[in-house]
Amino acid sequence: MRIKTGTVLRWAVAALSLAFIGWKVYAQLSDGEPFADCRPAFGPLLAAVALMPINWLLETRKWQALTSNLQQLTLWQSLKSVLSGLAVSMLTPNRVGDFAGRIAWLKPENRTTGTMSAFVGSCAQMIA
């Protein structure tokens, strides 16, 4: 059985992301009583969690539109690309890894142009 390099890289990014989140949660909880002075506000938290899939769907459609002249991506491929970018960007400062995670699902010959498309899309969103 032959394992592809991309598969190993994706699993490594997923494992590192989970380890990083676990480490941050452990560090926060081991500092004593981190939430002693806080009043829980579950309404905004629930609203944010409920709106996350809508945000991911909009990002997915935006990524599909940005890459439509390079490579036709299905909704599922585009969603995997967006979520990969999200996972990689959690490990890098200032969301720099978002580009790397997104272009991982593009064909190798389209990755340079895909990086520029992601950059243009981010700039356009920031300006708007």
Side-chain angles (χ1 to χ4, degrees), residues 43-58:
L45 178 64
L46 289 175
V49 170
L51 292 173
M52 279 172 44
I54 295 169
N55 182 38
W56 291 335
L57 182 63
L58 291 172

Side-chain angles (χ1 to χ4, degrees), residues 75-87:
L75 187 67
W76 178 245
Q77 289 171 329
S78 186
L79 179 64
K80 289 191 294 188
S81 180
V82 167
L83 294 178
S84 295
L86 181 66

Side-chain angles (χ1 to χ4, degrees), residues 53-72:
I54 295 169
N55 182 38
W56 291 335
L57 182 63
L58 291 172
E59 272 301 311
T60 299
R61 297 296 291 167
K62 182 179 85 171
W63 183 240
Q64 264 186 323
L66 286 170
T67 59
S68 64
N69 61 347
L70 296 173
Q71 178 178 335
Q72 294 296 323

Side-chain angles (χ1 to χ4, degrees), residues 70 103 106-119:
L70 296 173
I103 65 167
L106 294 177
K107 293 177 184 173
E109 61 268 13
N110 295 333
R111 290 186 178 159
T112 303
T113 312
T115 301
M116 295 310 294
S117 294
F119 179 72

